Amino acid sequence: MTEVERISKRGAIRQENEARILAAAEKVFAEAGFGGATMQLIADMAGLPKANLHYYFATKEELYRKVVQQIFEIWLHAADSFDNAPGPVEAIGAYIDAKMEISRRHPFGSKVWASEVMHGAPVIQDYLETTLRDWTAGRARLIQKWIDEGKMAPIDPNHLLYMLWATTQHYADFGHQIETLNGGMPLSDQQWKAAKASVKTIILRGIGAL
Amino acid sequence: MTEVERISKRGAIRQENEARILAAAEKVFAEAGFGGATMQLIADMAGLPKANLHYYFATKEELYRKVVQQIFEIWLHAADSFDNAPGPVEAIGAYIDAKMEISRRHPFGSKVWASEVMHGAPVIQDYLETTLRDWTAGRARLIQKWIDEGKMAPIDPNHLLYMLWATTQHYADFGHQIETLNGGMPLSDQQWKAAKASVKTIILRGIGAL
DNA sequence: TTTAACCTTGACCATATGGTCAGGAAGCGA
DNA sequence: TCGCTTCCTGACCATATGGTCAAGGTTAAA
């Protein structure tokens, strides 16, 4: 028995194990897809017997749903930078930084999200139609305001948002391809910095905000 | 070419059925992922008994591999516009148009590709390391040449290419999300035109080529 | 110590799935 | 028509997987 396990027994065993399982599940779902993932694999990765997973999460679907929801929360948070910014340069610049950082720190989550949406969002369709739709409409209005104020060129706000999502998430979802094209090496700190700078430069100049 | 293949070209049955199966497989793999796809589902969609699929494609993996290869061919073709163009505006503009058109006409293929790469490219890793790496290096050199000639701003060519891939493919891979945010309706002709224009405008201005 | 709630897990089950195969049908040149 | 190849398919099999369960262990408050 390890030190960590002993301590956890005093306190929140459930919390500890659920977090452990969710982390393992996120990775396995990302790497194998929902259909390719197996509870056994997740269990092994979490270091628990399979039956124990079903004690905390009744079904594979329930576990998957929790993983997706967790990611969605993180993504919404990244959007905070959009508010309370004087103009597009600060808002969009910070948003790109935040999303790039998430692609770097949570590549598995990004992939699970991408997979979920690609397959028709069977689990989080309601989120798309409520939370995401509202968020998008709000930011689109904000962008339109900046356009009206002459702070940036007249660009369709929705397509700009799509471009922001696409470019930033690409570094997580297609990370393997990028790594391969980078000689089989993950991007270095320097290269991540360059990536962020490139994306920000092109987009901010592209919308006429620089 | 083997004896079997040559003879089979006489009759169109093989060709016809293989195409039928490949089309069904592309759709099912895109919508369910490799793990979630079943030979039965593909068979039903192709209107053939399951055993017949195995007559033409020995294993699920072989069928999947063919689907992925098919897509890769289409993508390479879209890159032709990059060559024989006087400068970045024509080359990149045409490339964006071509890739957007592929996202519109072959959304399933795009999703299968995305899924394959997201899961670590188990099937087409060799393509990434040879064909794609060479193609990318060549275009990066071309972009660098344009920069040296003052035809565009100094941008890291690789990150520019990633952005081109990300933005164009997003319209296929995240088509469901876009459709949801579009009030549940697929993009109209008008909206696709606006999408292309937005992407081209932002990127071409973003790289200082306009 | 007792007790009740919580946690753990090996063994088991029903089902779904990839793949096989034998036997027969259809196409086609001679 | 004959003979050969190609094509078709229902029935079947071995295996993997999600999920269940009952028995037992652990914890902490009373």
Side-chain angles (χ1 to χ4, degrees):
Chain A
M1 183 183 293
T2 70
E3 182 66 11
V4 170
E5 280 164 341
R6 194 200 329 276
I7 289 173
S8 73
K9 281 188 178 172
R10 254 190 268 132
I13 296 180
R14 179 172 214 99
Q15 206 172 347
E16 156 83 18
N17 280 343
E18 284 185 353
R20 214 192 178 101
I21 294 167
L22 281 170
E26 181 176 298
K27 188 170 182 190
V28 173
F29 281 135
E31 288 176 346
F34 178 82
T38 70
M39 294 299 272
Q40 188 61 62
L41 241 177
I42 295 170
D44 291 348
M45 185 147 296
L48 296 169
K50 192 186 67 160
N52 210 344
L53 295 211
H54 282 100
Y55 173 74
Y56 289 105
F57 301 92
T59 65
K60 187 183 176 187
E61 276 80 8
E62 184 185 322
L63 176 53
Y64 175 75
R65 187 178 318 242
K66 286 279 165 57
V67 169
V68 174
Q69 284 173 347
Q70 214 179 26
I71 298 150
F72 193 66
E73 294 300 319
I74 293 174
W75 286 45
L76 277 186
H77 238 273
D80 293 348
S81 57
F82 233 104
D83 308 317
N84 309 322
V89 176
E90 298 81 0
I92 295 175
Y95 187 51
I96 290 172
D97 275 332
K99 294 266 347 260
M100 289 292 281
E101 206 53 36
I102 294 176
S103 283
R104 189 177 187 185
R105 305 297 174 195
H106 298 274
F108 298 132
S110 183
K111 285 177 186 176
V112 174
W113 175 268
S115 198
E116 164 70 6
V117 172
M118 281 204 306
H119 298 161
V123 162
I124 43 81
Q125 179 63 24
D126 53 328
Y127 282 83
L128 295 188
E129 290 175 359
T130 56
T131 316
L132 185 63
R133 187 178 284 177
D134 293 344
W135 184 90
T136 305
R139 313 300 143 145
R141 269 194 302 276
L142 188 52
I143 291 169
Q144 188 58 52
K145 205 190 81 182
W146 289 330
I147 293 172
D148 295 341
E149 293 172 356
K151 290 178 177 171
M152 54 177 281
I155 300 286
D156 184 310
N158 281 296
H159 291 302
L160 170 57
L161 287 171
Y162 300 158
M163 181 176 278
L164 290 171
W165 296 340
T167 49
T168 53
Q169 289 165 219
H170 184 83
Y171 284 87
D173 302 342
F174 287 76
H176 176 80
Q177 180 173 288
I178 290 173
E179 188 174 320
T180 297
L181 293 177
N182 193 43
M185 299 288 295
L187 295 191
S188 65
D189 286 4
Q190 253 342 294
Q191 289 174 313
W192 270 100
K193 227 173 136 180
K196 282 186 192 176
S198 291
V199 170
K200 278 196 285 188
T201 301
I202 296 176
I203 291 184
L204 290 178
R205 181 162 49 203
I207 62 175
L210 286 186
Chain B
M1 183 180 293
T2 70
E3 180 70 10
V4 171
E5 281 164 341
R6 189 165 47 73
I7 291 174
S8 72
K9 284 200 174 165
R10 256 190 272 138
I13 296 180
R14 183 175 211 94
Q15 210 170 350
E16 156 83 18
N17 280 344
E18 284 184 352
R20 213 192 179 101
I21 295 168
L22 281 170
E26 181 176 300
K27 189 171 182 189
V28 173
F29 281 134
E31 289 176 346
F34 178 81
T38 69
M39 294 299 271
Q40 189 61 62
L41 241 178
I42 295 169
D44 291 347
M45 185 146 298
L48 295 168
K50 192 186 68 162
N52 209 345
L53 296 211
H54 282 100
Y55 173 73
Y56 289 106
F57 301 92
T59 66
K60 189 182 175 185
E61 276 80 5
E62 183 185 323
L63 176 55
Y64 175 74
R65 187 177 317 241
K66 286 279 165 57
V67 169
V68 174
Q69 284 173 346
Q70 212 179 29
I71 297 151
F72 192 65
E73 295 299 319
I74 293 174
W75 286 44
L76 277 186
H77 237 273
D80 294 346
S81 56
F82 234 105
D83 309 315
N84 310 320
V89 177
E90 298 83 359
I92 295 176
Y95 186 51
I96 290 171
D97 275 332
K99 295 260 356 252
M100 288 292 281
E101 205 54 33
I102 294 176
S103 282
R104 190 177 187 185
R105 304 298 175 195
H106 297 273
F108 299 133
S110 183
K111 285 177 185 175
V112 174
W113 175 268
S115 198
E116 164 71 7
V117 172
M118 281 203 307
H119 298 161
V123 162
I124 42 83
Q125 180 63 25
D126 53 329
Y127 282 85
L128 294 188
E129 290 176 359
T130 55
T131 317
L132 185 63
R133 186 178 285 178
D134 293 345
W135 184 90
T136 305
R139 312 302 143 146
R141 271 195 300 276
L142 187 53
I143 292 169
Q144 190 56 53
K145 205 190 80 182
W146 290 329
I147 293 173
D148 295 340
E149 293 171 355
K151 289 178 176 173
M152 54 179 281
I155 300 285
D156 184 311
N158 280 297
H159 292 303
L160 171 55
L161 287 171
Y162 300 158
M163 180 176 277
L164 290 171
W165 296 340
T167 48
T168 54
Q169 289 163 222
H170 185 82
Y171 284 88
D173 302 343
F174 288 75
H176 176 80
Q177 181 173 285
I178 290 173
E179 188 174 319
T180 297
L181 294 177
N182 192 43
M185 299 287 296
L187 295 190
S188 65
D189 286 4
Q190 254 341 293
Q191 289 175 312
W192 271 101
K193 230 173 131 178
K196 283 186 192 175
S198 291
V199 171
K200 279 196 285 188
T201 300
I202 296 176
I203 291 184
L204 291 178
R205 182 164 45 204
I207 63 174
L210 285 185

